[in-house]
Amino acid sequence: MTFKYWQNHALYWRDFILDLIFPKECVGCGQEGSWLCPSCYQKLEFSKVQYCLNCKTENNSGEFCPNCRNEYYLDGVTIVGNYDDKIINHLIKMLKYHFIKDVAIILGNYLVDFLQKTHNLPILKITKIPIVIPVPLHKRRRRWRGFNQTKEIAEITAKHFQLKINATNLIRIKHKKAQAKLNEEQRLKNVAGCFAWRGENLTGANIILIDDVVTTGATLNECAKILKQNGASQVWGMVIAKG
Ligand SMILES: [Zn+2]
Ligand SMILES: [Zn+2]
């Protein structure tokens, strides 16, 4: 063992321990103690409009309009917040790229508050009690990240509204390229065949599919296709923000 080895080793452990004890700071105001302090949380706004994801015609719920409905398996997508909001943007990035699981709790509560305060939700539009399903990650990616952020958000939502949750039977069977760099047509091809349902028939079930961010809706729509092929009646996407 050389001195250099031990020096590097010591530096590694020093950084490791600093990371452990380094205090959490509010992404809004920098106050120590949490990733988002209560007063910055109170300032978060909800999305003021919902619209057909395809043609952007506004409505109350995010349902696809009569003109666009036939092009989708999904019935609609409800968007909770604004990706332009610096705090929301920051929290989603922390969750996705910095593996900070506690942030999922903040975003899960934010989604619950949205549902409670706005009453603008697919749960009210569909009569039969829905099942909450998170958009799954491929197991390789889940292992790498340590958790599935959408599952954490879905669990908080389901628990609060005492809804059934199924986080195990919709699975991602293919690990494809990240969608971020692709255009709309490429996204559709990229997600085709990525998901499978490994559960009982969903005959007549209404589903709320949870994801963190929606862009074109290609991923949610591919999940909806699989769920409807397995008997689901309505499938609604519910996301924290539109990217
Ligand atoms: Zn703050
Ligand atoms: Zn439309």
Side-chain angles (χ1 to χ4, degrees), residues 26-31 34-41 43 87:
C26 171
V27 298
C29 68
Q31 185 187 301
S34 65
W35 298 114
L36 189 64
C37 77
S39 83
C40 288
Y41 181 82
K43 284 184 218 146
I87 293 179

Side-chain angles (χ1 to χ4, degrees), residues 159-176:
K159 193 173 171 201
H160 186 90
F161 294 103
Q162 297 178 310
L163 299 173
K164 265 198 236 169
I165 179 167
N166 186 314
T168 48
N169 293 345
L170 181 65
I171 59 163
R172 194 183 280 256
I173 48 178
K174 281 193 222 162
H175 177 64
K176 287 276 182 96

Side-chain angles (χ1 to χ4, degrees), residues 74-118:
L74 264 180
D75 291 274
V77 180
T78 305
I79 299 165
V80 176
N82 306 307
Y83 204 57
D84 298 338
D85 181 316
K86 270 189 195 153
I87 293 179
I88 294 296
N89 192 298
H90 202 135
L91 290 172
I92 289 174
K93 285 185 177 144
M94 284 166 81
L95 188 63
K96 282 176 94 109
Y97 307 115
H98 302 287
F99 320 127
I100 298 171
K101 197 172 170 180
D102 290 355
V103 170
I105 298 168
I106 299 170
L107 293 176
N109 289 328
Y110 178 56
L111 190 149
V112 165
D113 281 349
F114 168 83
L115 289 176
Q116 280 187 316
K117 285 178 187 158
T118 65

